[in-house]
Amino acid sequence: MPSFNYYLDMRENRKGERGIALWVRGCPKGETRPIIVRTGETIPLSKWDNSKQRVKPTYTGSPELNALLNQYEEDAKKCIRELELDRRNDFETAKAALRALFTPKKKNEFLAIFDEYLATQQSVWQPATLKKFKTLKAHLTTFAVRTNFVLTFDAIDKHFEDAFRAFLVQDAVLLNNSVSKTFALVKTFLRWAEERGYHTNDAYRHFKVKASDKIEVIYLEREELMRLLEHDFSESPTLARVRDVFCFQCFTGQRFSDIAAFKFDDVKGNVWHIRTKKTRDTLQVPLTALALGIMEKYRADGRLPVISSQKTNQYIKEACRLAGIDTPTTIVRYRGNQRIDKTEPKYNLIASHTARRTFVSLSVANGMNHQAIMKITGHSDFKMLKKYLDVSDSLVSQEMEKAWK
């Protein structure tokens, strides 16, 4: 296999930076001449670690640039492997193929720059975030094909916003709030590209991204939660374990990813010391008797019986059905100006994220201070917490009676 190494050009450009070049040696085997491919990336000499052949951590944007160099190297290796399989890995063919692969991108190659964005961010994003942006690219690609819209940075204006929004509603069949989230992702990418000099068009800053349709907060009432906790699942150990993990999440208010990473050693006394996976916040979560009871049940196993989120969502619906949590529940959504009502048993609407909402809603109903709730859930401001809040009809009646007694 040929060797792949990065070196800086000898000469500096007008900005005092040097180009980063990829040197490929040994292609084909025994060849002494290197194939030198300029990546188009530049860096000050002082910010380059020659021993590691990567950008020093002190350089702003080093994680993204190093991730890009890693991707370039993988692309080059893949290119050489394909040439070897086709028995076309002679020096001149390999040189032409590699240089064609690394031809600097033109600034109006919108989707090519989007691919660069994905490559530079995938090492720091959570998998769910990467999936969202890949879905966005798929929507943009399909939109461009179906509408004959030429995607360039200069073309991103209010006309694009109107056309893409119509496509998301009519062709992609997205609900209004999903459309708003999609445009938020578009703005994030365009801001990244603008900061790196790929365009100077700031029309995207005025795109509407605020979700306008209220989302019903599905959560378990206290009576429903206790009914689930106390239900006898002796004939189904799997449902019993899923129920226990779900209830532990209800009693602690944490995300499923943090419940999955739970360690008994992180509990000091009755307090769970946690570094959250999504936001990397440090939280101290007091454990109530109910949470401690579930925890002690699995201490001998050394871990909570957490399974995948997909399986959890499947099994918790069945557990809630068997526990009789079947109140007919209507959710209302909007697609464009079309109202979509759907009524089904409550257990069909229960998923792992319902637990976090249950914690917040029941904590408010029991009179817990909002700031205290935020300290436990890790929400940075009340606006973020508010979307989890809901007030049951019974609580409204209690508060009305208390105020007007």
Side-chain angles (χ1 to χ4, degrees):
M1 186 68 183
S3 63
F4 298 81
N5 304 96
Y6 282 112
Y7 299 104
L8 297 188
D9 293 340
M10 296 297 293
R11 295 183 180 180
E12 295 183 346
N13 61 18
R14 294 180 181 179
K15 296 181 179 179
E17 299 180 344
R18 300 190 181 193
I20 303 175
L22 178 65
W23 288 49
V24 182
R25 293 186 176 89
C27 187
K29 185 177 181 180
E31 176 62 60
T32 58
R33 293 173 295 172
I35 299 175
I36 303 175
V37 184
R38 287 173 173 77
T39 65
E41 309 298 333
T42 60
I43 192 77
L45 178 60
S46 62
K47 298 299 183 181
W48 180 255
D49 188 330
N50 198 50
S51 63
K52 296 182 179 179
Q53 299 180 13
R54 291 295 186 273
V55 180
K56 293 180 179 178
T58 54
Y59 179 71
T60 302
S62 60
E64 293 87 354
L65 184 49
N66 283 331
L68 188 60
L69 295 179
N70 292 339
Q71 186 63 50
Y72 284 165
E73 185 175 336
E74 288 301 312
D75 291 344
K77 289 178 179 178
K78 180 180 179 182
C79 178
I80 294 299
R81 283 196 297 269
E82 291 175 349
L83 290 176
E84 290 176 343
L85 290 173
D86 293 340
R87 300 184 183 279
R88 297 190 301 114
N89 61 323
D90 60 274
F91 180 80
E92 292 300 331
T93 301
K95 181 171 70 172
L98 287 172
R99 289 185 174 176
L101 183 67
F102 286 91
T103 300
K105 300 179 180 66
K106 297 179 182 179
K107 291 188 177 182
N108 66 344
E109 291 183 346
F110 188 93
L111 292 178
I113 302 303
F114 198 102
D115 285 336
E116 178 181 326
Y117 178 54
L118 296 180
T120 58
Q121 300 299 309
Q122 63 182 356
S123 63
V124 295
W125 278 342
Q126 294 293 330
T129 303
L130 179 61
K131 183 179 179 180
K132 289 177 184 178
F133 277 96
K134 285 185 175 180
T135 301
L136 169 60
K137 185 192 173 185
H139 284 320
L140 287 169
T141 303
T142 306
F143 163 72
V145 171
R146 291 188 181 178
T147 63
N148 292 320
F149 191 97
V150 180
L151 276 174
T152 67
F153 287 109
D154 291 338
I156 304 301
D157 55 15
K158 295 297 290 185
H159 296 292
F160 162 80
E161 181 187 5
D162 293 339
F164 190 47
R165 193 178 297 277
F167 164 81
L168 293 174
V169 172
Q170 298 168 11
D171 293 57
V173 199
L174 297 187
L175 298 171
N176 290 356
N177 287 346
S178 295
V179 172
S180 296
K181 292 176 182 178
T182 300
F183 269 96
L185 298 179
V186 170
K187 294 182 70 172
T188 299
F189 163 64
L190 291 173
R191 187 180 303 110
W192 175 91
E194 183 181 16
E195 290 171 350
R196 282 151 184 79
Y198 285 119
H199 72 95
T200 57
N201 180 7
D202 66 353
Y204 72 90
R205 297 179 183 274
H206 304 290
F207 289 173
K208 179 182 177 182
V209 300
K210 184 178 180 181
S212 57
D213 298 336
K214 186 180 184 300
I215 299 294
E216 296 86 352
V217 177
I218 304 299
Y219 69 98
L220 298 185
E221 299 279 3
R222 180 179 180 83
E223 181 273 331
E224 293 173 326
L225 176 58
M226 299 312 295
R227 193 193 319 163
L228 176 65
L229 178 66
E230 296 167 359
H231 188 82
D232 181 8
F233 288 108
S234 57
E235 294 185 1
S236 179
T238 297
L239 292 184
R241 290 190 291 269
V242 169
R243 179 271 313 276
D244 288 343
V245 171
F246 179 83
C247 288
F248 186 79
Q249 191 179 359
C250 288
F251 299 143
T252 59
Q254 301 309 301
R255 299 180 181 88
F256 182 82
S257 59
D258 296 316
I259 299 295
F262 175 86
K263 297 178 181 178
F264 283 90
D265 290 343
D266 292 335
V267 178
K268 312 298 181 184
N270 291 345
V271 178
W272 176 17
H273 297 261
I274 175 176
R275 168 79 73 168
T276 62
K277 187 173 182 180
K278 180 178 180 179
T279 61
R280 300 177 185 177
D281 292 329
T282 300
L283 305 178
Q284 296 183 22
V285 181
L287 298 178
T288 62
L290 291 169
L292 288 170
I294 294 174
M295 189 182 81
E296 291 303 320
K297 187 175 179 179
Y298 297 98
R299 182 176 289 279
D301 298 334
R303 59 182 293 274
L304 294 177
V306 181
I307 58 178
S308 70
S309 60
Q310 292 83 359
K311 286 293 185 181
T312 295
N313 290 339
Q314 174 186 337
Y315 289 136
I316 195 59
K317 288 178 173 58
E318 176 63 9
C320 288
R321 183 186 72 81
L322 294 175
I325 304 173
D326 53 7
T327 303
T329 304
T330 301
I331 58 174
V332 180
R333 298 291 184 266
Y334 291 87
R335 183 180 298 121
N337 59 3
Q338 178 186 6
R339 172 172 168 154
I340 304 171
D341 292 17
K342 187 176 182 180
T343 301
E344 53 187 316
K346 189 172 184 177
Y347 59 78
N348 272 343
L349 304 174
I350 305 300
S352 60
H353 64 264
T354 308
R356 188 164 161 88
R357 292 174 176 173
T358 296
F359 171 82
V360 173
S361 296
L362 294 188
S363 295
V364 171
N366 291 329
M368 185 182 291
N369 181 279
H370 287 169
Q371 282 70 29
I373 296 174
M374 291 164 60
K375 288 280 287 185
I376 294 173
T377 60
H379 288 102
S380 57
D381 57 51
F382 182 72
K383 183 178 180 181
M384 295 180 65
L385 177 73
K386 189 176 179 181
K387 67 179 182 179
Y388 286 92
L389 294 177
D390 198 4
V391 178
S392 67
D393 292 338
S394 60
L395 180 60
V396 171
S397 298
Q398 293 173 23
E399 292 298 307
M400 190 72 167
E401 178 68 18
K402 186 190 301 182
W404 292 92
K405 185 174 181 181

